Amino acid sequence: MGTEYNYDDKGQFFPFFILTISGLVALPLTYSLLKPSKELENTAPRIKSDFKPLDEDLIQGQKRKQWRRERRLKRITTVIVGYLLMAWMIYLIIVTARTVPQIWDPYNILEISRSATEQQIKKRYKTLSLMYHPDKARVDESKNQTLDYINDRWVKLSKAYKALTDEEVRNNFIQYGHPDGKQSFSIGIALPKFIVTDGNGKYVLLVYGLLLGVLLPYIVGKWWYGSQKLTREKVLLASAGNLFREYKEDITEGGVITALSSGEEYKDVLKGSKADSGLEKIEKAITAKHDGGRSLAGLTQEDQESFKALDGVRRKVLGLLWAYLGRARLDGSTLDDEKYEAAPLALALNESFIATTLAYANVPALLTAYRASQHLIQAVPPKSSPLLQLPYITPSIAAAIEGRNPGHHLTVQELMAMPEYERRKLATDQSNVLSPSQYNSAIAVARQLPLLKVEKAFFKVMGEKFVTTGSLVNLVVKVRVIPPGSLNIPEVNPSDLEDIDPEEGDVDALLGRKSKNKVAKLLDGETTETATGEQPLQPHLAYAPYFARDHSPRWHIFLADRKSGKVAVPPTSFSTFTKPLLDGAGNPTFNMQTFKMQFQAPNKADRYPFVMHLICDSYIGMDSNLDVVLQVEDSVLAAKMSADDEISEPDEDSLAGQVNALKSGGLGGSAAPRRSGKKNQSLKTPAMTR
């Protein structure tokens, strides 16, 4: 018995095939388009402010453009075409007539019930034989009968009768479902037969060749080479190479901005005539001087020389970046739109430049690169006043507020630390400064900025009393978010400064997974109920009205060697908190937050002094650093000290206790203090304050 292939001559199954293929493409793409984004920028709350920049429409236009780029118009088009094709196939399925395959049934052919006896079967067969036997049957043309019909009918009757009476034929019917035994295997192909007949086979082969030999390799190759030409920071490899060549040990913030102009990504923005159009207007805007003789855009003499040394697309890109930082208005349309589009690209490129500085472990260059991110997000030139981060404050207004100390720029927290009457007087009682409503808006924003204050930092090894050589060390940083100008700040609860180890065997807590509240041991031996794997909580999006992207603040913690000035432990980044920052009324909670970074302890027992840097990538003047000391003990010596600590003092009512009391001052004196069981060695090496 062979295999028989049947094509869909009547088009019954072809729509089902196309409907399935279309659904496999359209439905997953629909889910990817509609599913809620988990990006921090799409779920975080926003700082409330009524301030809108002069180019608000251009900035929002850039955000919408980025949204369209992320949503990818090609995917949307593919989904629409897929659903149209699915609708067409459903229509064809509804209107196409069905051909239902008939199952060979001897009872149905003999027109008797399945409960009929053998005698009834023979009687029925004889009756039908008189009607359809070729020698006895008569063709009834009124019923459209033909001789062939009668012959076919007689053959079917004979087979049906034998299937129910002849033992061999009956066995074939029971085993194979047909009186003639095993039949050929038929496979239906959901393609119309005309596709492979009438000389169309060569076209089918051509289509298959294009799909499998051209389209599929093109899609795979495009995906592969597209992923290979990007670095881990999602910038082009060529751009990363350019940034590597721009690196200098003593690079300045202006030098970082110059380096960022070397990215290849800008060529997609400034194509054709855009590469040099409006360059003269840009140069004039960024080199204009203010009363102090400094460039309005913040360029130093060195920065201006670097700008003049460039040409082509890079010269215009650097001009656009300086115009953005200086908030210089160009033409109100095309050039300003290009300016706001260039800044987010520069921020992405700066992530790659930060990776380059980490490769050199150069702390000054790393800090300079981080500060460049702050300036790009806030649209503030290097060395300018941090007060420009607040709404309505311009360079001239910032200079008026800082007038009493022109050699020092006030930070936002220094401004907010002033008495209210003095701050209001500086900001509103002079000429060409803020109006009362503008002042209130600026102060309202300042009170919402997430300023982190480090309360304590220490080293520990989970479950151990000492930090031993080669162990996995945790740097535990306890911080509170205290917005500038906050009042009635509560004192720190000492218990909040402790870091509680999870119970032994608590795999959920060790891996940071969600779990129910569990009992953990405190340092004094008492127990407390603690929740492990808390739901991360997001701070407000960075207040950056000039930046054409929504950006969630990130904090970076790293350790620098105090002696060599090199990065000792690379940065660990944080963007969420474990406890609420605000209460139900929108007031700060001042909850203690915990950041942790892990690294391996040195292999030599010694005292290691470090400088811990806490850097915010979104706000200027809100970084901090702290001197910390890591005391590493020899593992053998630490084990011995741990064993000694486990020996408890004898009870006072025992003989040994009375002897010990005599040694410590007599039975009549005060008892010698008892040691308090297990202590965490990490608390014996506290962080040193600045």
Side-chain angles (χ1 to χ4, degrees):
M1 296 295 176
T3 302
E4 180 183 357
Y5 294 92
N6 298 318
Y7 287 90
D8 186 18
D9 290 335
K10 298 182 180 179
Q12 295 183 85
F13 307 110
F14 182 66
F16 288 94
F17 173 73
I18 299 298
L19 178 64
T20 302
I21 298 300
S22 302
L24 290 175
V25 175
L27 294 178
L29 285 178
T30 302
Y31 174 75
S32 68
L33 290 172
L34 298 181
K35 70 175 181 179
S37 175
K38 295 183 179 180
E39 294 289 334
L40 295 176
E41 285 75 12
N42 295 322
T43 56
R46 299 175 183 273
I47 290 178
K48 298 178 181 178
S49 174
D50 59 356
F51 173 75
K52 294 185 182 301
L54 190 60
D55 292 327
E56 173 72 6
D57 55 337
L58 296 178
I59 297 171
Q60 294 301 323
Q62 282 296 326
K63 289 184 178 181
R64 289 190 295 270
K65 183 178 180 180
Q66 177 65 15
W67 182 88
R68 290 193 297 270
R69 187 181 295 118
E70 290 175 352
R71 290 290 182 178
R72 297 181 182 177
L73 188 60
K74 292 181 180 178
R75 284 195 295 172
I76 297 176
T77 304
T78 303
V79 168
I80 294 174
V81 172
Y83 279 115
L84 290 175
L85 190 59
M86 290 170 65
W88 183 31
M89 292 300 108
I90 293 173
Y91 170 75
L92 291 179
I93 291 172
I94 294 174
V95 301
T96 302
R98 300 288 185 275
T99 301
V100 181
Q102 295 182 352
I103 299 175
W104 192 86
D105 185 358
Y107 294 99
N108 187 38
I109 294 173
L110 293 174
E111 300 175 357
I112 58 175
S113 66
R114 294 183 177 274
S115 61
T117 63
E118 185 174 351
Q119 185 178 1
Q120 290 174 331
I121 294 173
K122 291 181 178 180
K123 183 179 179 180
R124 180 60 180 166
Y125 175 68
K126 288 181 180 180
T127 302
L128 293 175
S129 297
L130 297 174
M131 297 172 59
Y132 295 104
H133 192 281
D135 296 336
K136 300 178 180 180
R138 295 181 180 180
V139 178
D140 188 354
E141 296 181 356
S142 63
K143 296 182 179 179
N144 294 325
Q145 292 181 350
T146 62
L147 186 60
D148 290 337
Y149 169 78
I150 293 175
N151 290 335
D152 290 341
R153 180 65 173 162
W154 171 249
V155 171
K156 291 179 181 180
L157 289 172
S158 300
K159 288 183 178 181
Y161 176 69
K162 289 181 180 180
L164 299 178
T165 57
D166 186 274
E167 184 176 355
E168 181 180 354
V169 177
R170 184 181 182 86
N171 289 335
N172 285 337
F173 171 66
I174 294 173
Q175 185 174 359
Y176 301 110
H178 199 278
D180 295 336
K182 188 175 182 179
Q183 301 297 296
S184 62
F185 185 73
S186 178
I187 298 177
I189 302 176
L191 293 176
K193 193 173 182 178
F194 74 86
I195 292 181
V196 292
T197 58
D198 300 330
N200 295 329
K202 57 186 177 181
Y203 300 111
V204 175
L205 292 177
L206 178 61
V207 172
Y208 275 115
L210 291 175
L211 289 177
L212 300 179
V214 179
L215 184 60
L216 183 61
Y218 170 77
I219 294 174
V220 174
K222 184 178 181 180
W223 167 80
W224 172 256
Y225 289 110
S227 62
Q228 291 299 306
K229 68 181 182 180
L230 297 177
T231 67
R232 187 173 62 178
E233 292 78 24
K234 305 299 181 184
V235 303
L236 296 174
L237 285 173
S239 299
N242 295 340
L243 293 171
F244 180 81
R245 288 186 288 272
E246 294 287 333
Y247 172 81
K248 298 177 183 177
E249 289 286 333
D250 58 346
I251 194 167
T252 63
E253 293 175 27
V256 173
I257 301 301
T258 301
L260 298 180
S261 66
S262 64
E264 297 292 324
E265 286 82 352
Y266 299 110
K267 293 181 180 179
D268 291 334
V269 178
L270 304 176
K271 295 179 180 178
S273 60
K274 290 184 177 181
D276 53 6
S277 63
L279 185 56
E280 182 178 352
K281 185 178 292 185
I282 296 172
E283 292 181 14
K284 184 177 180 180
I286 65 175
T287 55
K289 306 289 185 180
H290 59 42
D291 296 339
R294 189 165 177 246
S295 165
L296 285 174
L299 284 78
T300 63
Q301 186 63 34
E302 180 182 356
D303 297 332
Q304 294 185 35
E305 292 176 359
S306 299
F307 175 76
K308 293 177 181 178
L310 300 177
D311 56 9
V313 174
R314 187 175 176 185
R315 184 184 180 96
K316 182 175 180 179
V317 169
L318 185 56
L320 291 173
L321 291 178
W322 281 115
Y324 166 78
L325 292 172
R327 304 178 185 177
R329 188 168 175 80
L330 301 175
D331 61 354
S333 57
T334 304
L335 292 178
D336 282 306
D337 195 50
E338 294 171 353
K339 173 184 71 177
Y340 293 117
E341 188 172 4
L345 292 176
L347 183 65
L349 290 166
N350 197 42
E351 293 296 320
S352 179
F353 189 74
I354 289 173
T356 300
T357 60
L358 279 173
Y360 287 96
N362 183 11
V363 173
L366 179 60
L367 293 175
T368 300
Y370 276 134
R371 294 190 188 107
S373 292
Q374 299 169 357
H375 290 286
L376 285 169
I377 292 173
Q378 293 297 330
V380 174
K383 309 299 182 184
S384 297
S385 173
L387 299 183
L388 295 175
Q389 300 173 101
L390 301 179
Y392 299 108
I393 293 185
T394 62
S396 60
I397 294 176
I401 296 175
E402 298 169 347
R404 62 176 185 173
N405 190 5
H408 169 72
H409 287 308
L410 287 177
T411 63
V412 175
Q413 51 269 40
E414 288 173 341
L415 175 68
M416 298 302 294
M418 294 180 182
E420 168 63 20
Y421 73 90
E422 183 179 352
R423 182 173 63 233
R424 183 178 290 273
K425 181 178 180 180
L426 288 173
T428 62
D429 288 354
Q430 305 182 60
S431 59
N432 299 321
V433 287
L434 299 176
S435 66
S437 61
Q438 292 174 339
Y439 170 81
N440 292 334
S441 178
I443 297 303
V445 169
R447 294 187 189 277
Q448 300 177 71
L449 301 183
L451 174 62
L452 268 60
K453 181 184 178 183
V454 179
E455 301 292 354
K456 187 178 182 181
F458 56 92
F459 300 97
K460 65 170 289 185
V461 176
M462 186 178 295
E464 302 293 337
K465 298 180 180 180
F466 303 96
V467 177
T468 57
T469 54
S471 60
L472 190 61
V473 184
N474 280 309
L475 170 62
V476 182
V477 183
K478 296 287 186 176
V479 303
R480 289 196 295 173
V481 179
I482 304 178
S486 296
L487 303 174
N488 303 320
I489 303 172
E491 295 293 329
V492 175
N493 187 344
S495 63
D496 290 339
L497 298 177
E498 297 178 353
D499 186 64
I500 304 173
D501 286 339
E503 287 268 288
E504 292 185 8
D506 187 356
V507 180
D508 288 334
L510 292 173
L511 298 180
R513 296 195 296 244
K514 277 188 183 181
S515 62
K516 296 180 180 179
N517 289 354
K518 299 193 176 183
V519 175
K521 290 183 178 179
L522 293 174
L523 298 178
D524 57 5
E526 297 182 359
T527 60
T528 182
E529 197 174 67
T530 178
T532 56
E534 297 94 334
Q535 179 71 25
L537 302 171
Q538 295 178 233
H540 290 93
L541 290 176
Y543 181 75
Y546 294 93
F547 192 64
R549 296 288 187 277
D550 290 333
H551 183 80
S552 184
R554 290 164 175 81
W555 287 266
H556 309 282
I557 297 177
F558 68 93
L559 292 178
D561 188 288
R562 196 189 305 170
K563 297 178 181 178
S564 65
K566 295 291 185 179
V567 176
V569 180
T572 298
S573 300
F574 304 91
S575 56
T576 58
F577 299 96
T578 56
K579 296 180 181 178
L581 303 182
L582 303 174
D583 59 18
N587 299 317
T589 59
F590 308 109
N591 283 326
M592 189 68 68
Q593 311 287 345
T594 303
F595 294 156
K596 292 183 180 181
M597 64 182 298
Q598 282 189 339
F599 62 96
Q600 187 175 9
N603 293 322
K604 179 182 177 182
D606 202 348
R607 186 173 180 271
Y608 294 90
F610 295 113
V611 179
M612 184 203 76
H613 291 272
L614 175 60
I615 309 295
C616 178
D617 74 337
S618 302
Y619 296 106
I620 303 169
M622 296 189 179
D623 305 332
S624 61
N625 59 76
L626 195 69
D627 290 336
V628 293
V629 176
L630 174 62
Q631 182 68 45
V632 180
E633 304 289 353
D634 183 82
S635 56
V636 177
L637 180 60
K640 183 179 179 181
M641 289 189 293
S642 296
D644 292 342
D645 284 346
E646 292 295 331
I647 302 176
S648 60
E649 300 291 349
D651 294 333
E652 294 180 359
D653 57 356
S654 65
L655 179 61
Q658 295 177 14
V659 172
N660 184 67
L662 288 172
K663 290 180 180 180
S664 61
L667 291 171
S670 60
R674 299 177 62 184
R675 286 184 289 183
S676 59
K678 295 183 180 181
K679 290 187 178 180
N680 192 324
Q681 178 62 20
S682 63
L683 297 179
K684 295 181 180 180
T685 57
M688 297 176 61
T689 57
R690 284 179 287 180

